[in-house]
Each structure stands twice: as structure tokens, then as C-alpha cells.
């Protein structure tokens, strides 16, 4: 008789495959948000604390390089900081999606903001990448010399910061994809 009662429309307390899929996607999204927030925070902190001073000629001229000397690096730090703040503030809502699976409308709004943050992080990383490339390679046509032979620590920190930022952009892409999957399942 119990099998017949379940067939006539009564609901059971067991999780359906669709609900468990949505829950799994929501947990994955929460973890990805947490990792992306850490990546953007680390990237902004690494770039924001980058500074190196080296003597250019035997103790007569000091060459000082810091992130705030270049507007592209400043934009990079601001873009990653804004994205980090957004990701941290969206964590409680992402946790809410683990508990309540059928929140479709607010998830659509969150995907829209996720896409905007992806654009912001990518723009900041792309702007900073051009400067880091010039620091490493220089430009013979414009008589810009490579500065990374003199400023090793500065170049290493900026390069590491860029890697972290692009990894965070990739995580944001995965967040958008997982959110789209969760919307389609709900």
C-alpha cells in the first residue's frame, strides 16, 4: 500500500535526484566563491604591497618602483578589491542557496553581478598584464628597456599577482556556469 500512496501524489522525505543535483551545484558554487574571494584578495594584497628600491649605479641613483606609480596597477588593485568585497558579501546568499534550492530570481540577479565582476577582474588583469610584459621584455622600438633585471622582487610579485587574478577570473567563469546549471535545474 505504501508504494501506491507514493504514486498518487504524496511526497516523501527522500531527496529526489534533481534536488540533490541542485544541492551539489550550490555547494560547489559556495566553494568556488570562497576560493575566488581568496584569490582576488591575495592578488590585490600582493600587488598593493609591491615596492622595491635598488641602486641604479654604484650608490649614486636609487631606482624606486611601487605599484602606485602606474595607473594600470592601481586599477588592478581596485578591481580585485571590489571583486573580493562582492564575493565576500555574496557568500551568505550562496550559503542560502544550499539551504533553499528553489530561489531562482535572486540567483539570476547574482549571475548578473557575477558576470560584471568577471569583466572587472579581467579588465584589471589585462591592463596590468601589458605593463608586466613591458617590464619583462621591454620595447626596442620605443626605447623602453626591460626593468626586471634590476627589479627582480617587483617583477616576481606583480607576475604572481597576475596569475592569481587570472585564476580568480577562471573561478568566476566556473561560478557563472554552475549558477546557470542551478537555474536550469530549478
Amino acid at each position: 500500500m505504501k508504494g501506491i500512496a507514493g504514486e498518487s501524489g504524496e511526497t516523501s522525505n527522500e531527496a529526489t535526484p534533481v534536488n540533490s543535483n541542485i544541492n551539489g551545484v550550490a555547494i560547489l558554487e559556495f566553494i568556488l566563491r570562497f576560493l575566488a574571494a581568496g584569490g582576488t584578495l591575495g592578488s590585490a594584497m600582493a600587488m598593493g604591497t609591491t615596492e622595491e628600491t635598488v641602486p641604479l649605479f654604484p650608490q649614486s641613483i636609487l631606482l624606486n618602483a611601487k605599484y602606485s606609480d602606474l595607473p594600470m596597477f592601481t586599477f588592478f588593485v581596485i578591481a580585485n578589491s571590489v571583486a573580493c568585497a562582492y564575493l565576500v558579501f555574496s557568500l551568505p546568499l550562496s550559503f542560502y542557496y544550499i539551504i533553499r534550492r528553489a530561489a531562482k530570481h535572486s540567483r539570476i540577479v547574482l549571475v548578473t553581478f557575477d558576470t560584471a565582476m568577471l569583466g572587472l577582474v579581467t579588465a584589471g588583469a589585462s591592463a596590468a598584464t601589458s605593463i608586466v610584459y613591458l617590464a619583462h621584455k621591454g620595447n626596442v622600438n620605443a626605447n623602453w628597456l626591460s626593468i626586471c633585471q634590476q627589479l627582480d622582487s617587483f617583477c616576481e610579485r606583480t607576475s604572481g599577482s597576475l596569475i592569481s587574478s587570472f585564476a580568480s577570473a577562471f573561478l568566476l567563469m566556473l561560478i557563472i556556469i554552475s549558477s546557470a546549471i542551478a537555474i536550469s535545474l530549478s
Side-chain angles (χ1 to χ4, degrees), residues 148-164:
C148 284
Q149 286 112 8
Q150 291 87 17
L151 301 169
D152 286 340
S153 175
F154 181 80
C155 290
E156 287 174 6
R157 286 180 65 98
T158 55
S159 297
S161 182
L162 283 174
I163 291 169
S164 175

Side-chain angles (χ1 to χ4, degrees), residues 92-126:
L93 190 58
S94 184
F95 184 74
Y96 173 73
Y97 294 145
I98 295 172
I99 298 168
R100 182 162 181 205
R101 296 173 186 97
K104 188 173 185 176
H105 297 294
S106 62
R107 196 179 284 267
I108 292 172
V109 173
L110 200 60
V111 169
T112 304
F113 284 118
D114 290 342
T115 307
M117 290 302 119
L118 173 62
L120 185 64
V121 169
T122 305
S126 298

